[in-house]
Amino acid sequence: GHHETTRGCLLAFENLAKRMSFNNVLDLGTGTGLLALVAKRRNARQCLATDIDGEAVQRAMANTRQNDVNGLKFITATGMRHAIIQKTAPYDLIFANILAGPLVELAPDICRALDRNGRLILAGLIKPQQQQVEARYKAQGLVLEFRRTLGDWPVLGCRKGR
C-alpha cells in the first residue's frame, strides 16, 4: 500500500465499505494481492484476483498465506475474457489498478462484468489521462461518484446504475 495508486484504492474501498458490503469482488491486475486480501478481510464472500503476470499471482498467493487469509482465488489472465472471470461475474466491486491504456481498452468488458448496482475503483492512470478514462467509462453508462488524487495519481470511483 505504499504506492499512491494502491493507497488510493484502499482509501476508496474503506470509504465504500463503511456504507455497504461486497459479496463478489474482482481485483483485476492484483499485483501483490493487497486489494483482494483487504476485501476478503472485510468479509467479501467471494474474491477473485487476476494478473497478467504469473509471478505476480504466485507472490499474491504467498502474501495471502503469510497473512492467514483464506478463500481467495487467484488466476493468471489477460483482460476480462478468461472463463473463470466470466463465470464468476457479475461482481459488485471491481478494483482495476492497471495502466490507462488497458483501462480504456477493457472498459466495455469491465462494465459488463459489474452487477447492476456494482462499484468500480479505477487507478493506475496519471492526471493527463484522467479525462480520457472518465469519458470512456461514462460512455459505458457508469456514473463517476468520486475522484481522489494522491501525488500525480488519480483514483476514480464509479457506480453502475441510474
PDB file of all heavy atoms in Angstrom, residues 53-70:
ATOM      1  N   ASP A  53       0.659 -11.312 -15.086  1.00  0.00           N
ATOM      2  CA  ASP A  53       1.977 -11.833 -14.734  1.00  0.00           C
ATOM      3  C   ASP A  53       1.840 -13.008 -13.766  1.00  0.00           C
ATOM      4  O   ASP A  53       1.416 -12.843 -12.621  1.00  0.00           O
ATOM      5  CB  ASP A  53       2.785 -10.697 -14.096  1.00  0.00           C
ATOM      6  CG  ASP A  53       4.194 -11.086 -13.700  1.00  0.00           C
ATOM      7  OD1 ASP A  53       4.544 -12.286 -13.737  1.00  0.00           O
ATOM      8  OD2 ASP A  53       4.960 -10.174 -13.335  1.00  0.00           O
ATOM      9  N   GLY A  54       2.204 -14.186 -14.227  1.00  0.00           N
ATOM     10  CA  GLY A  54       2.109 -15.384 -13.400  1.00  0.00           C
ATOM     11  C   GLY A  54       2.945 -15.307 -12.130  1.00  0.00           C
ATOM     12  O   GLY A  54       2.553 -15.841 -11.088  1.00  0.00           O
ATOM     13  N   GLU A  55       4.109 -14.645 -12.199  1.00  0.00           N
ATOM     14  CA  GLU A  55       4.927 -14.492 -10.992  1.00  0.00           C
ATOM     15  C   GLU A  55       4.236 -13.610  -9.968  1.00  0.00           C
ATOM     16  O   GLU A  55       4.315 -13.860  -8.764  1.00  0.00           O
ATOM     17  CB  GLU A  55       6.305 -13.932 -11.352  1.00  0.00           C
ATOM     18  CG  GLU A  55       7.183 -14.929 -12.077  1.00  0.00           C
ATOM     19  CD  GLU A  55       8.553 -14.366 -12.391  1.00  0.00           C
ATOM     20  OE1 GLU A  55       9.036 -13.486 -11.647  1.00  0.00           O
ATOM     21  OE2 GLU A  55       9.147 -14.816 -13.389  1.00  0.00           O
ATOM     22  N   ALA A  56       3.540 -12.571 -10.432  1.00  0.00           N
ATOM     23  CA  ALA A  56       2.786 -11.711  -9.511  1.00  0.00           C
ATOM     24  C   ALA A  56       1.687 -12.517  -8.820  1.00  0.00           C
ATOM     25  O   ALA A  56       1.459 -12.369  -7.614  1.00  0.00           O
ATOM     26  CB  ALA A  56       2.175 -10.522 -10.265  1.00  0.00           C
ATOM     27  N   VAL A  57       1.032 -13.385  -9.565  1.00  0.00           N
ATOM     28  CA  VAL A  57      -0.015 -14.228  -8.983  1.00  0.00           C
ATOM     29  C   VAL A  57       0.582 -15.136  -7.902  1.00  0.00           C
ATOM     30  O   VAL A  57       0.002 -15.288  -6.822  1.00  0.00           O
ATOM     31  CB  VAL A  57      -0.745 -15.040 -10.074  1.00  0.00           C
ATOM     32  CG1 VAL A  57      -1.632 -16.110  -9.471  1.00  0.00           C
ATOM     33  CG2 VAL A  57      -1.551 -14.113 -10.975  1.00  0.00           C
ATOM     34  N   GLN A  58       1.754 -15.703  -8.172  1.00  0.00           N
ATOM     35  CA  GLN A  58       2.405 -16.557  -7.176  1.00  0.00           C
ATOM     36  C   GLN A  58       2.763 -15.758  -5.913  1.00  0.00           C
ATOM     37  O   GLN A  58       2.560 -16.242  -4.790  1.00  0.00           O
ATOM     38  CB  GLN A  58       3.658 -17.214  -7.768  1.00  0.00           C
ATOM     39  CG  GLN A  58       3.371 -18.212  -8.873  1.00  0.00           C
ATOM     40  CD  GLN A  58       2.480 -19.347  -8.394  1.00  0.00           C
ATOM     41  OE1 GLN A  58       2.686 -19.924  -7.332  1.00  0.00           O
ATOM     42  NE2 GLN A  58       1.465 -19.663  -9.189  1.00  0.00           N
ATOM     43  N   ARG A  59       3.271 -14.536  -6.086  1.00  0.00           N
ATOM     44  CA  ARG A  59       3.600 -13.682  -4.931  1.00  0.00           C
ATOM     45  C   ARG A  59       2.339 -13.321  -4.156  1.00  0.00           C
ATOM     46  O   ARG A  59       2.333 -13.313  -2.918  1.00  0.00           O
ATOM     47  CB  ARG A  59       4.326 -12.412  -5.382  1.00  0.00           C
ATOM     48  CG  ARG A  59       5.792 -12.622  -5.689  1.00  0.00           C
ATOM     49  CD  ARG A  59       6.526 -11.311  -5.877  1.00  0.00           C
ATOM     50  NE  ARG A  59       5.919 -10.454  -6.888  1.00  0.00           N
ATOM     51  CZ  ARG A  59       6.213 -10.459  -8.183  1.00  0.00           C
ATOM     52  NH1 ARG A  59       7.113 -11.311  -8.640  1.00  0.00           N
ATOM     53  NH2 ARG A  59       5.617  -9.638  -9.025  1.00  0.00           N
ATOM     54  N   ALA A  60       1.269 -13.009  -4.870  1.00  0.00           N
ATOM     55  CA  ALA A  60      -0.001 -12.652  -4.214  1.00  0.00           C
ATOM     56  C   ALA A  60      -0.527 -13.830  -3.400  1.00  0.00           C
ATOM     57  O   ALA A  60      -1.004 -13.650  -2.270  1.00  0.00           O
ATOM     58  CB  ALA A  60      -1.025 -12.215  -5.257  1.00  0.00           C
ATOM     59  N   MET A  61      -0.427 -15.019  -3.944  1.00  0.00           N
ATOM     60  CA  MET A  61      -0.855 -16.215  -3.212  1.00  0.00           C
ATOM     61  C   MET A  61      -0.018 -16.395  -1.949  1.00  0.00           C
ATOM     62  O   MET A  61      -0.548 -16.708  -0.877  1.00  0.00           O
ATOM     63  CB  MET A  61      -0.767 -17.443  -4.115  1.00  0.00           C
ATOM     64  CG  MET A  61      -1.795 -17.433  -5.234  1.00  0.00           C
ATOM     65  SD  MET A  61      -1.516 -18.697  -6.497  1.00  0.00           S
ATOM     66  CE  MET A  61      -1.836 -20.186  -5.572  1.00  0.00           C
ATOM     67  N   ALA A  62       1.285 -16.194  -2.067  1.00  0.00           N
ATOM     68  CA  ALA A  62       2.166 -16.307  -0.901  1.00  0.00           C
ATOM     69  C   ALA A  62       1.818 -15.251   0.144  1.00  0.00           C
ATOM     70  O   ALA A  62       1.810 -15.544   1.351  1.00  0.00           O
ATOM     71  CB  ALA A  62       3.633 -16.171  -1.328  1.00  0.00           C
ATOM     72  N   ASN A  63       1.502 -14.043  -0.293  1.00  0.00           N
ATOM     73  CA  ASN A  63       1.130 -12.976   0.645  1.00  0.00           C
ATOM     74  C   ASN A  63      -0.137 -13.323   1.412  1.00  0.00           C
ATOM     75  O   ASN A  63      -0.238 -13.048   2.610  1.00  0.00           O
ATOM     76  CB  ASN A  63       0.939 -11.644  -0.088  1.00  0.00           C
ATOM     77  CG  ASN A  63       2.248 -11.045  -0.526  1.00  0.00           C
ATOM     78  OD1 ASN A  63       3.310 -11.367   0.004  1.00  0.00           O
ATOM     79  ND2 ASN A  63       2.184 -10.167  -1.517  1.00  0.00           N
ATOM     80  N   THR A  64      -1.096 -13.935   0.752  1.00  0.00           N
ATOM     81  CA  THR A  64      -2.329 -14.294   1.461  1.00  0.00           C
ATOM     82  C   THR A  64      -2.071 -15.418   2.465  1.00  0.00           C
ATOM     83  O   THR A  64      -2.651 -15.413   3.547  1.00  0.00           O
ATOM     84  CB  THR A  64      -3.469 -14.681   0.494  1.00  0.00           C
ATOM     85  OG1 THR A  64      -3.074 -15.784  -0.304  1.00  0.00           O
ATOM     86  CG2 THR A  64      -3.871 -13.517  -0.378  1.00  0.00           C
ATOM     87  N   ARG A  65      -1.196 -16.340   2.113  1.00  0.00           N
ATOM     88  CA  ARG A  65      -0.834 -17.396   3.074  1.00  0.00           C
ATOM     89  C   ARG A  65      -0.128 -16.797   4.290  1.00  0.00           C
ATOM     90  O   ARG A  65      -0.432 -17.141   5.430  1.00  0.00           O
ATOM     91  CB  ARG A  65       0.053 -18.455   2.416  1.00  0.00           C
ATOM     92  CG  ARG A  65      -0.711 -19.419   1.520  1.00  0.00           C
ATOM     93  CD  ARG A  65       0.154 -20.594   1.090  1.00  0.00           C
ATOM     94  NE  ARG A  65       1.341 -20.203   0.354  1.00  0.00           N
ATOM     95  CZ  ARG A  65       1.391 -20.021  -0.978  1.00  0.00           C
ATOM     96  NH1 ARG A  65       0.305 -20.194  -1.716  1.00  0.00           N
ATOM     97  NH2 ARG A  65       2.509 -19.680  -1.561  1.00  0.00           N
ATOM     98  N   GLN A  66       0.808 -15.877   4.042  1.00  0.00           N
ATOM     99  CA  GLN A  66       1.543 -15.232   5.141  1.00  0.00           C
ATOM    100  C   GLN A  66       0.602 -14.456   6.052  1.00  0.00           C
ATOM    101  O   GLN A  66       0.859 -14.328   7.246  1.00  0.00           O
ATOM    102  CB  GLN A  66       2.606 -14.284   4.596  1.00  0.00           C
ATOM    103  CG  GLN A  66       3.816 -14.988   4.048  1.00  0.00           C
ATOM    104  CD  GLN A  66       4.817 -14.002   3.495  1.00  0.00           C
ATOM    105  OE1 GLN A  66       4.468 -12.931   3.012  1.00  0.00           O
ATOM    106  NE2 GLN A  66       6.086 -14.381   3.555  1.00  0.00           N
ATOM    107  N   ASN A  67      -0.464 -13.918   5.485  1.00  0.00           N
ATOM    108  CA  ASN A  67      -1.418 -13.132   6.267  1.00  0.00           C
ATOM    109  C   ASN A  67      -2.590 -13.961   6.765  1.00  0.00           C
ATOM    110  O   ASN A  67      -3.550 -13.410   7.303  1.00  0.00           O
ATOM    111  CB  ASN A  67      -1.915 -11.942   5.440  1.00  0.00           C
ATOM    112  CG  ASN A  67      -0.868 -10.865   5.349  1.00  0.00           C
ATOM    113  OD1 ASN A  67      -0.685 -10.103   6.274  1.00  0.00           O
ATOM    114  ND2 ASN A  67      -0.149 -10.824   4.224  1.00  0.00           N
ATOM    115  N   ASP A  68      -2.509 -15.267   6.553  1.00  0.00           N
ATOM    116  CA  ASP A  68      -3.519 -16.203   7.050  1.00  0.00           C
ATOM    117  C   ASP A  68      -4.933 -15.829   6.596  1.00  0.00           C
ATOM    118  O   ASP A  68      -5.874 -15.805   7.382  1.00  0.00           O
ATOM    119  CB  ASP A  68      -3.438 -16.288   8.578  1.00  0.00           C
ATOM    120  CG  ASP A  68      -4.112 -17.542   9.107  1.00  0.00           C
ATOM    121  OD1 ASP A  68      -4.163 -18.552   8.379  1.00  0.00           O
ATOM    122  OD2 ASP A  68      -4.608 -17.500  10.245  1.00  0.00           O
ATOM    123  N   VAL A  69      -5.046 -15.524   5.317  1.00  0.00           N
ATOM    124  CA  VAL A  69      -6.350 -15.204   4.728  1.00  0.00           C
ATOM    125  C   VAL A  69      -6.721 -16.339   3.779  1.00  0.00           C
ATOM    126  O   VAL A  69      -5.939 -16.721   2.914  1.00  0.00           O
ATOM    127  CB  VAL A  69      -6.313 -13.863   3.963  1.00  0.00           C
ATOM    128  CG1 VAL A  69      -7.635 -13.593   3.277  1.00  0.00           C
ATOM    129  CG2 VAL A  69      -5.967 -12.723   4.912  1.00  0.00           C
ATOM    130  N   ASN A  70      -7.906 -16.875   3.968  1.00  0.00           N
ATOM    131  CA  ASN A  70      -8.374 -17.994   3.161  1.00  0.00           C
ATOM    132  C   ASN A  70      -9.530 -17.567   2.269  1.00  0.00           C
ATOM    133  O   ASN A  70     -10.184 -16.564   2.524  1.00  0.00           O
ATOM    134  CB  ASN A  70      -8.837 -19.145   4.065  1.00  0.00           C
ATOM    135  CG  ASN A  70      -7.699 -19.668   4.912  1.00  0.00           C
ATOM    136  OD1 ASN A  70      -6.625 -19.943   4.419  1.00  0.00           O
ATOM    137  ND2 ASN A  70      -7.944 -19.775   6.203  1.00  0.00           N
TER     138      ASN A  70
END
